[in-house]
């Protein structure tokens, strides 16, 4: 019996500042985050999976499998298939159906961009969520999955445009309301339930999002997206937020109204309270800090700013990136089996005892480290200067120099504790340079 | 150390150095013609009397053709070398060995760099295709050297304000010295307040904590020591040539604390052994050191054995390395004020030693100097190449 084995959610640290005119907490990804990096962050705490289904409405690459980088960063075995499901939140449900059949990891992530001043800018949200399905000790069992499909022009985006459009919201609302009620009724009937304990309704239609709590009522809670419409991630983020708080033996109905309606009905088990995600959606939502609006606009390419007078970096090259894949994506170093010295990046000749080719791989991505020394580089090229760099000494050995993500230079001193985050250092020549950065937690 | 040294085997009998700075009017070719011409002239030698050439440049050209073409050198051996910011010294080192080996009678070492044509700030890197993960791909040189400052103050319990004062003193001193040097890029005394309030580049390093990005070239003619007086009555003899390339362990090893360059310690020990120097601070008349950024010069005073560990910031503030101090350092203004056209810098340091040891340094002339040290470094804290030479005006 395949059930839910675990879940995770990731929300970026930044919120649109008040200078944007946006009220409330608009969660925005940093300049070095995208649907691949956030997917990694959402899924990092979960154990290995038999398959990987990544979905997004904002894929960093086309004609290349984004899920492969997620797969590499999660250090999954090469025999695990990984695929992209690109399009809308429906793709996330396609991933769910695939993982329900065979077991696997479903991870969805999005950087939702709206025109300045638009509804999407105001009421969207950037984030990622992951759901691990498989045989074993489940935190929730799956009672049913159902769908309705409808071709209707409610929300769309031309592939070459950064921002999308919507039809008049009341048109979509009426169609979706009926579809949501139909899917809910079918799932509840199938399970022999009059109502679910928790109901989450997410949709890119603003009318549905506004009335999410009223459309289908839950006995204990009824609501919508925890952060605003986050595209493919929205239904899983909504589910994650409920799993953060639901008790054992409670039913959860998740409904996603996008080009029809997808629904899944779950019942939590006694294991849920002991296996919740370490960082709840609510805690992450509370922890943000503001980014000035002009900075945000430049991150999204909607405002071009003057950069330091430095050349743009070269694009990362294919063959070296492939050879160094375990380091670049997996942050795996090499430890000398003769003397124990840990090398970051991996080397063949030991720096401590000169033994050659006596190395074993050691993954370090999940270890904490401390700052040995640091600097703020105001001259270096960066999509968002200045660059903050730290020399990090890791618990259990190993040292390397890393950029700091979401950096607040005043929060860094010799001895500051840092962790690692998977980020995009820069994009050059159309190639995204993925690597790890240090973060102060 | 494993080096035998070539003490007093070769001598410099001619040198040339262009004015360093923003030489918008001069090409790389022009700078080379100027520096080589001056060196040949000072030795009274024609171009065709030189048997072989070594050319050092980081990025202003490739191969020996970079020198043979503008000078029209006719089918002679010309070798281009590169060793980061120690490139000029590397050119000189190879030229000395070529003479010492007996292969040639007269060899010229040349260094050149044309940095100002790129339009960018600081140095550019020409890196091979990579996986894009190396920190030095983004971390600029001032940022890499700025790491010394917080590490040094933390290790020795130095008040950051006092360290800042010492860094300011280094910049102030080198500008005072450069003001007396007609070939220096910056010829102005700069007030301490101006240095401290300059826009920040990296960490606590402001614009005045960084060496000058400039264009320039320098050249030296090297001959056998026993032939030296045939060319000049004041030759400069090579006492020691040492080079150490680090294993780049510091960036990997938590034991490294960013308050020293082990490569400098090794190359200095090698050079002092070659030259027979027991107490460098007492025996040396002057030192030209790689003051790429102000904290570098402070740390170098310790690595070169001019003072004890943790003491350099105090000695700097006490004026020990000023023009009138106990051991004058960077009398010509250093990289800070003379400028740092990478491939030329190592030879520029030797040029000041040459002038001082011959009594030709004008208003910055020291009294009766005998021995001079040059120190030239390429790379960054945690992994670099370090060159140290000792030259003197008496053959031992």
């Amino acid at each position: 019996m395949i059930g839910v084995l675990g879940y995770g959610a990731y929300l970026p640290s930044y919120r649109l500042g008040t200078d944007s005119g946006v009220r409330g907490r608009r969660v925005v990804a940093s300049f070095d985050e995208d649907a691949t990096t956030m997917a990694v962050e959402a899924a990092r705490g979960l154990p290995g999976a038999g398959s990987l289904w990544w979905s997004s409405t904002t894929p960093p690459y086309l004609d290349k499998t984004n899920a492969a980088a997620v797969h590499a960063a999660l250090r999954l075995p090469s025999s695990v298939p990984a695929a992209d499901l690109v399009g809308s939140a429906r793709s996330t449900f396609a991933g769910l159906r695939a993982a329900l059949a065979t077991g696997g990891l479903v991870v969805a992530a999005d950087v939702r961009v709206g025109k300045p001043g638009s509804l999407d800018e105001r009421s969207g949200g950037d984030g990622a969520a992951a759901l691990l399905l498989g045989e074993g000790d489940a935190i929730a069992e799956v009672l049913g999955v159902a769908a309705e499909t409808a071709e209707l022009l409610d929300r769309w985006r031309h592939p070459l445009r950064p921002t999308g459009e919507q039809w008049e919201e009341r048109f979509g609302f009426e169609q979706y309301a009926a579809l949501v009620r139909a899917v809910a009724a079918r799932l509840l009937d199938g399970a022999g339930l009059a109502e679910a304990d928790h109901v989450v309704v997410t949709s890119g239609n603003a009318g549905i999002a506004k009335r999410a709590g009223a459309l289908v009522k839950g006995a204990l809670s009824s609501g919508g997206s925890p952060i605003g419409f986050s595209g493919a991630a929205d239904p899983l983020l909504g589910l994650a937020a409920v799993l953060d708080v639901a008790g054992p033996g409670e039913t959860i109905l998740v409904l996603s109204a996008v080009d029809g309606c997808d629904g899944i009905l779950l019942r939590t088990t006694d294991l849920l309270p002991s296996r919740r995600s370490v960082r709840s959606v609510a805690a992450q939502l509370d922890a943000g800090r503001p980014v000035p609006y002009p900075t945000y606009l430049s991150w999204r390419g909607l405002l071009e700013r003057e950069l330091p007078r430095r050349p743009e970096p070269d694009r990362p090259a294919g063959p070296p990136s492939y050879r160094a894949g375990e380091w670049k994506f997996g942050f795996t170093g090499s430890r000398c089996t003769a003397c124990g010295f840990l090398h970051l990046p991996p080397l063949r000749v030991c720096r401590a005892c000169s033994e050659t080719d006596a190395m074993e791989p050691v993954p370090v991505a999940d270890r904490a480290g401390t700052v040995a020394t640091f600097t703020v580089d105001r001259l270096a090229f960066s999509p968002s200067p200045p660059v903050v760099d730290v020399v990090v000494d890791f618990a259990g050995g190993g040292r390397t120099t890393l950029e700091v993500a979401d950096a607040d230079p005043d929060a860094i001193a010799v001895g500051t504790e840092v962790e690692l985050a998977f980020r995009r250092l820069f994009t050059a020549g159309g190639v995204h340079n993925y690597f790890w950065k240090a973060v102060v937690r | 150390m494993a080096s035998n040294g070539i003490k007093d085997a070769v001598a410099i009998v001619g040198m040339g150095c262009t004015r360093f700075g923003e030489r918008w009017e001069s090409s790389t070719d022009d700078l080379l013609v100027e520096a080589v011409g001056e060196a040949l002239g000072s030795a009274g030698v024609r171009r065709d009397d030189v048997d072989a050439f070594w050319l050092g440049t980081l990025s202003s050209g490739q191969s020996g053709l970079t020198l043979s073409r503008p000078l029209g050198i006719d089918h002679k051996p010309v070798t281009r070398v590169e060793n980061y910011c120690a490139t000029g010294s590397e050119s000189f080192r190879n030229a000395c060995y070529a003479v010492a080996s007996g292969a040639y009678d007269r060899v010229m070492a040349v260094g050149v760099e044309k940095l100002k044509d790129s339009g960018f700030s600081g140095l550019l890197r020409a890196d091979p295709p990579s996986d894009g993960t190396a920190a030095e791909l983004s971390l600029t040189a001032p940022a890499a050297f700025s790491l010394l400052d917080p590490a040094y103050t933390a290790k020795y319990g130095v008040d950051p304000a006092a360290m800042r004062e010492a860094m300011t003193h280094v910049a102030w001193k080198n500008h005072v010295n450069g003001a007396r040097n007609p070939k220096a890029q910056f010829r102005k005394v700069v007030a301490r307040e101006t240095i401290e309030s300059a826009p920040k580049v990296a960490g606590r390093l402001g614009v005045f904590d960084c060496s000058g990005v400039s264009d320039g070239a320098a050249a030296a003619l090297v001959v056998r020591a026993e032939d030296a007086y045939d060319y000049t009555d004041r030759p400069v003899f090579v006492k020691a040539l040492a080079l150490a390339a680090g294993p780049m362990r510091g960036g990997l090893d938590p034991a490294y604390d960013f308050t020293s360059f082990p490569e400098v310690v090794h190359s200095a020990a090698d050079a002092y052994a070659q030259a027979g120097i027991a107490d460098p601070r007492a025996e040396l008349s002057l030192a030209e050191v790689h003051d790429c950024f102000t904290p570098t010069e402070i740390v170098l005073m310790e690595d070169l054995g001019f003072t004890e560990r943790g003491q350099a910031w105090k000695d700097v503030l006490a004026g020990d390395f000023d023009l009138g101090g106990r051991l004058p350092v960077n009398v010509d203004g250093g990289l800070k004020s003379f400028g740092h056209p990478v491939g030329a810098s190592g030879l520029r340091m030797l040029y000041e030693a040459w002038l001082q040891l011959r009594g030709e340094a004008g208003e910055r002339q020291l009294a009766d100097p005998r021995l001079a040290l040059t120190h030239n470094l390429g790379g960054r804290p945690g992994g670099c190449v370090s060159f140290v030479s000792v030259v003197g005006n008496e053959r031992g």
Side-chain angles (χ1 to χ4, degrees):
Chain A
M1 185 72 175
I2 287 178
V4 177
L5 302 180
Y7 72 99
Y10 173 75
L11 299 185
S13 295
Y14 290 103
R15 312 286 176 263
L16 271 192
T18 49
D19 58 347
S20 66
V22 173
R23 288 190 300 272
R25 291 178 294 198
R26 196 333 178 162
V27 181
V28 296
S30 185
F31 72 94
D32 58 358
E33 298 187 286
D34 63 22
T36 293
T37 66
M38 292 195 295
V40 172
E41 292 301 317
R44 269 176 80 189
L46 299 171
S51 63
L52 171 61
W53 308 96
W54 174 90
S55 67
S56 179
T57 69
T58 51
Y61 285 118
L62 295 173
D63 220 349
K64 166 164 176 49
T65 305
N66 297 281
V70 178
H71 177 282
L74 296 176
R75 302 188 305 279
L76 295 174
S78 61
S79 59
V80 171
D84 294 357
L85 299 159
V86 172
S88 70
R90 302 220 85 179
S91 303
T92 307
F93 271 85
L96 270 176
R97 287 172 181 271
L100 273 171
T102 62
L105 176 64
V106 187
V107 57
D110 256 317
V111 180
R112 301 290 306 178
V113 184
K115 292 185 191 77
S118 69
L119 179 74
D120 278 0
E121 182 183 76
R122 252 188 342 266
S123 62
D126 304 342
L131 201 65
L132 181 65
L133 296 158
E135 306 274 357
D137 297 332
I139 58 170
E141 53 183 320
V142 180
L143 303 181
V145 178
E148 287 284 322
T149 296
E151 163 54 32
L152 58 111
L153 193 64
D154 175 62
R155 166 182 287 282
W156 69 99
R157 172 157 61 90
H158 188 276
L160 297 180
R161 293 187 61 92
T163 56
E165 293 168 69
Q166 302 111 53
W167 205 264
E168 187 181 1
E169 113 186 11
R170 291 189 306 282
F171 161 65
F173 172 75
E174 284 196 16
Q175 317 312 313
Y176 281 133
L179 297 163
V180 165
R181 290 191 186 103
V183 170
R186 189 142 29 103
L187 282 169
L188 292 170
D189 287 352
L193 297 171
E195 60 178 1
D197 294 316
H198 304 276
V199 177
V200 179
V201 180
T202 65
S203 178
N205 178 280
I208 296 289
K210 268 182 271 184
R211 298 170 186 84
L215 270 176
V216 181
K217 284 285 192 184
L220 298 175
S221 76
S222 327
S225 171
I227 66 166
F229 185 60
S230 57
D234 217 21
L236 290 190
L237 264 176
L239 173 57
V242 174
L243 289 170
D244 283 339
V245 296
E250 293 176 359
T251 53
I252 305 171
L253 176 60
V254 180
L255 299 158
S256 167
V258 171
D259 302 319
C261 182
D262 293 286
I264 185 168
L265 183 60
L266 305 164
R267 178 183 284 124
T268 63
T269 72
D270 295 343
L271 291 174
L272 174 63
S274 61
R275 296 238 301 266
R276 293 195 209 277
S277 178
V278 181
R279 293 190 300 163
S280 73
V281 173
Q284 292 187 64
L285 190 53
D286 284 344
R289 59 199 172 92
V291 56
Y293 190 51
T295 304
Y296 168 76
L297 291 176
S298 73
W299 286 355
R300 296 294 179 269
L302 299 170
L303 182 69
E304 197 179 353
R305 302 187 102 174
E306 180 79 1
L307 293 172
R309 194 173 280 276
R310 293 289 294 167
E312 287 187 29
D314 295 333
R315 69 178 182 189
S321 300
Y322 179 72
R323 290 192 295 270
E326 289 189 2
W327 163 245
K328 181 178 173 67
F329 294 96
F331 209 79
T332 297
S334 69
R335 176 159 46 211
C336 176
T337 56
C339 77
F341 192 90
L342 179 57
H343 305 78
L344 304 172
L347 290 173
R348 291 178 62 184
V349 180
C350 179
R351 271 310 160 269
C353 75
S354 298
E355 194 75 15
T356 301
D357 289 339
M359 299 291 176
E360 59 180 2
V362 178
V364 178
D366 296 326
R367 291 192 193 172
T370 53
V371 172
T373 185
F374 67 98
T375 191
V376 181
D377 193 342
R378 298 176 199 283
L379 181 62
F381 173 89
S382 167
S384 189
V387 176
V388 180
D389 278 279
V390 286
V391 178
V392 181
D393 292 340
F394 288 93
R399 160 183 285 187
T400 200
T401 303
L402 297 167
E403 286 184 31
V404 180
D406 307 334
D408 171 9
D410 296 334
I412 296 165
V414 172
T416 299
E417 188 161 311
V418 295
E419 294 174 8
L420 292 177
F422 191 66
R423 295 290 172 108
R424 198 170 81 187
L425 300 192
F426 57 81
T427 298
V431 181
H432 303 307
N433 189 20
Y434 291 113
F435 189 50
W436 297 80
K437 289 187 177 181
V439 280
V440 180
R441 293 255 192 257
Chain B
M1 297 302 296
S3 66
N4 297 316
I6 55 164
K7 186 183 181 189
D8 292 323
V10 304
I12 307 169
V13 295
M15 283 205 79
C17 183
T18 69
R19 182 175 60 79
F20 285 7
E22 295 180 333
R23 298 285 303 264
W24 307 117
E25 79 292 352
S26 300
S27 65
T28 301
D29 289 4
D30 294 330
L31 296 168
L32 286 168
V33 169
E34 190 181 330
V36 169
E38 189 188 339
L40 290 171
S42 83
V45 167
R46 294 178 305 121
R47 180 199 70 186
D48 291 345
D49 296 331
V50 180
D51 303 317
F53 296 82
W54 264 261
L55 169 70
T57 186
L58 177 75
S59 58
S60 298
Q62 295 175 324
S63 89
L65 299 173
T66 301
L67 182 66
S68 68
R69 188 183 53 78
L71 270 84
I73 297 168
D74 198 5
H75 299 98
K76 295 278 178 73
V78 185
T79 306
R80 180 238 173 166
V81 293
E82 184 278 309
N83 223 351
Y84 276 171
C85 295
T87 292
S89 296
E90 192 65 348
S91 159
F92 179 71
R93 181 171 156 271
N94 282 276
C96 290
Y97 291 154
V99 173
S101 74
Y104 305 107
D105 295 338
R106 287 170 293 272
V107 175
M108 183 165 279
V110 187
V112 70
E113 213 67 55
K114 182 78 192 150
L115 294 176
K116 293 302 299 185
D117 278 0
S118 79
F120 291 113
S121 304
L123 293 179
L124 303 188
R125 299 176 59 96
D127 292 296
S130 80
D131 67 5
T133 65
E136 54 265 32
L137 293 175
S138 75
L139 192 69
T140 61
F145 283 89
S146 76
L147 295 172
L148 298 169
D149 165 31
Y152 188 95
T153 54
K155 180 173 181 183
Y156 297 115
V158 182
D159 176 4
M163 182 66 177
R164 179 59 259 182
E165 228 180 298
M167 288 156 59
T168 299
H169 189 95
V170 169
W172 172 83
K173 166 186 71 91
N174 290 347
H175 272 278
V176 166
N177 293 349
R180 301 179 177 216
N181 185 346
K183 291 186 172 179
Q185 179 173 16
F186 302 114
R187 300 204 56 210
K188 263 191 187 164
V189 175
V190 181
R192 288 182 168 85
E193 307 79 71
T194 309
I195 293 167
E196 295 198 356
S197 61
K200 291 284 171 281
V201 178
R204 293 205 299 166
L205 304 190
V207 171
F208 281 103
D209 292 294
C210 306
S211 49
V213 177
S214 60
D215 308 324
L221 183 67
V222 179
V223 302
R224 280 190 297 272
E226 57 262 39
D227 301 336
Y229 288 100
D230 297 347
Y231 300 87
T232 174
D233 53 359
R234 285 172 294 168
V236 168
F237 297 95
V238 175
K239 307 288 181 183
L241 296 168
L243 179 76
M248 300 192 71
R249 180 168 170 169
L252 300 171
D253 187 355
Y256 176 68
D257 63 10
F258 286 88
T259 63
S260 167
F261 301 90
E263 298 86 349
V264 176
V265 175
H266 279 88
S267 54
D270 184 9
Y272 296 151
Q274 290 180 34
I277 289 176
D279 181 355
R281 180 155 172 170
E283 295 176 53
L284 293 170
S285 310
L286 70 143
E288 288 290 312
V289 308
H290 197 86
D291 59 325
C292 52
F293 303 96
T294 51
T296 317
E297 183 168 317
I298 294 171
V299 165
L300 288 176
M301 297 303 97
E302 298 176 10
D303 285 343
L304 291 168
F306 298 167
T307 186
E308 299 300 314
R309 292 274 166 217
Q311 294 298 309
W313 66 279
K314 288 183 199 163
D315 292 6
V316 163
L317 285 173
D320 284 10
F321 308 114
D322 293 1
L323 193 56
R326 294 207 286 164
L327 173 55
V329 170
N330 291 331
V331 180
D332 61 356
L335 301 167
K336 168 79 273 276
S337 170
F338 205 140
H340 185 23
V342 178
S345 285
L347 283 156
R348 181 274 300 166
M349 296 171 179
L350 284 158
Y351 180 69
E352 180 65 7
W354 160 264
L355 293 179
Q356 290 284 351
L357 293 170
R358 287 162 56 90
E360 295 173 344
E363 57 174 316
R364 60 185 191 284
Q365 179 64 47
L366 302 168
D368 193 27
R370 303 289 175 87
L371 275 182
L373 173 143
T374 75
H375 165 262
N376 197 191
L377 180 153
R380 43 187 59 194
C384 65
V385 295
S386 171
F387 170 88
V388 175
S389 85
V390 178
V391 294
N393 52 13
E394 292 165 6
R395 193 175 180 205

